[in-house]
Amino acid sequence: DITTLLRRGVNVAGVMLGNGWWNPLPIKLFGRWDLRDYQQTGRPCLKAEIRISYADGSAEVIPTDESWQTAPGPIVSNSVYLGEHYDARLEQRGWNTTRANQRDWKPATGVGGPSGRLVVQMQPAVKVTRIVKAVRIRQVRPDTFIVDMGQNFAGVARIRVKGLAGRTVTLRYGEDVLEDGTLNYHTTVMTQIRKGGIKAGPGAPETAWQQDSYTLKGDGVEVWSPRFTFHGFRYVEITGWPGTPALSDVEGLRLSADLREAGTFSCSNDKLNKLNDVIRWTFLSNVFSVQSDCPGREKMGYGADMVVTTDAFIYNFDMSNFYRKSVRDFANEQLPDGGITEIAPHTGIADRGYGGDSGPLGWELAFPYLQEQLYDFYANRQVLESNYKGIVRQMDFLQSKAVDGLFHWDIGDHEALDPKAEAFSASSFYYHHAILAARFAGILGKKEDSVKYARLSDAIKRAIVRKYLIPGTGRFDNGTQAAQIFALWYGFSPEKEKSMQVLMDEFARHKGHLSTGIFSTKMMFDVMRRNNMNDVAYAVATIGGFPGWQHMLDHGATTLWETWEYPEKYPSQNHPMFGSISEWFFRSLLGINPGAPGFRKIILKPQPAGGLTWAKGSYESVQGRIGSDWKIDGERFLWNISIPPNTTAIVHVPSRAGKEVKVDGATAANLRYEDGYAVAELGSGNYSIVSEYKKE
């Protein structure tokens, strides 16, 4: 609504256009894939209209057409990957006012825009969501300064500078510095394109670093920040500055989708609180119309990255519309044979897929998995209905590619430290697709399909057990942590206790550290939660040394790394994948879980672990706020909970078997005791619960 912007008399509407993803430079990603070959592209263009409703009931529409005027602006070039270059001498004073000098302006030309169906933007707009103040500036070479923002994040720098017209200030961005204090740009250059390494084809820069520049107009203090790019960075290298920049001359504009906060968490372990903060910075660095892998090097919507962090994102932020759009991205890219791409929107990358541009199974899983979480967390049945035909087409494709009823290659458990059980994980992902298809068919009342896919999933499971279980040992495939976790998470093992013991032996072999990749890390926390073994999860989460989250924090990480090992050259230092641990904060430590779609029924089951003495937090469900605030006082467990209106909760109170539990001061009746919990059902309201509790 632009009513408040109007003034009496003549009004002017002005628009600045940038390239965005619509007009990428001819650069081959990783030296292989040119976005112009895989996406619709064109010169920047505009489609807009102003709708005016008059008091007498009449209406008028002012559309973009050939009556509009155009002129070059001060932005000389811009790229979402490479940065923006701005020459303030080319600014036209009052260009978007009635005072504009239109001598050099020309009529706009009509062009054909992108094809497809124009729909309203579902997800929140990208905005400046935080101002980040610089904490340190050092001169590392003549005319070269390094600004430390103190925090890795996604966005741009804003500068305040005064100097002579024609002076150019250059800003180059990186996530770290080298031993000599100079900028380490290696982890943020576009898809590893650099001098002496990957070449990106004709017209591409030798090193595709993130770099902005500003040419002064010489008019007092000039304030500028880029409009049509974003970077991933903690450090800014400045050259060409007139004099010496001060801390107040440089600040960071954190950019992200303006997501509403959904969850809060804190506990008595400051290391976990710090990790929680680092995870949220990482998540917000990777929500720019797609949930990306990293905000610097690639900026792409990889399917597996979403699968392993969807739940964690949802517990922290309202992702109801963001993920609806992500599902649509995958649906839009579905191939004629039914295959799903590794990345959506598709950029050409199809690593270890199953023909054409289809992706590997763990990455294809994003299409159905996102739908399941939209249903479980938000009760969004419509997303299942509108995409069911696509699920059927994907299942037909996968069944046509199976060999002896299974799959035999995949990227697998990406970033695992032990050898990957690649074929086993590929078949596990196939099973996952089948059980989701069966579930969706059941929800939608498609009984024949439900039976068909249930039978398929049973057949896949039997084939997996037959091929990968070593009978009598509980060991699956190569018996690594990841292999055992896959078997336990998917419920493959008929020898569950033995399979769990193999897993525990593997943890012991690694001296309490994990060796898992992105999938089995997420699964590990679920396995421990479901088996009431949260102390194991807690130990893994808090152990120091390599590998682990504390290893990252001890080495100064302010966002999560792509790899367990410190990334210096190629992997990024701002990657959400291992942020799946945040889901554990809510599901296990706070104990907040959906018991029915959209939290119409809630399961509250906190699992105190390690040396934790308290934890508190909440989740803003579609039904309302769910709160969980507990502490251990001697041999008492004190727990305050909030259950939103029109819901019920199955409440699991940590308690000694048969001991009294008080709810709002009165002894609770009709309790049952199981596995160290007193269990009751409560309706909506706020409750104060006290139980006798002693951690074994």
Side-chain angles (χ1 to χ4, degrees), residues 309-329:
T309 57
T310 295
D311 305 66
F313 264 95
I314 290 174
Y315 271 115
N316 282 280
F317 304 105
D318 178 4
M319 303 296 288
S320 55
N321 285 327
F322 194 99
Y323 280 148
R324 281 176 61 210
K325 189 266 187 183
S326 299
V327 170
R328 177 170 288 176
D329 284 342

Side-chain angles (χ1 to χ4, degrees), residues 535-557:
D535 277 322
V536 176
Y538 184 86
V540 171
T542 56
I543 193 171
F546 174 81
W549 293 273
Q550 298 308 316
H551 175 70
M552 296 186 194
L553 300 186
D554 290 343
H555 282 74

Side-chain angles (χ1 to χ4, degrees), residues 472-492:
T473 69
R475 178 188 175 99
F476 276 78
D477 199 87
N478 61 5
T480 58
Q481 289 180 17
Q484 297 306 116
I485 289 169
F486 265 73
L488 291 162
W489 196 75
Y490 282 115
F492 292 149

Side-chain angles (χ1 to χ4, degrees), residues 609-628:
L612 281 187
T613 57
W614 61 266
K616 63 181 179 180
S618 64
Y619 174 67
E620 194 68 36
S621 75
V622 291
Q623 304 294 334
R625 180 182 176 274
I626 304 167
S628 176

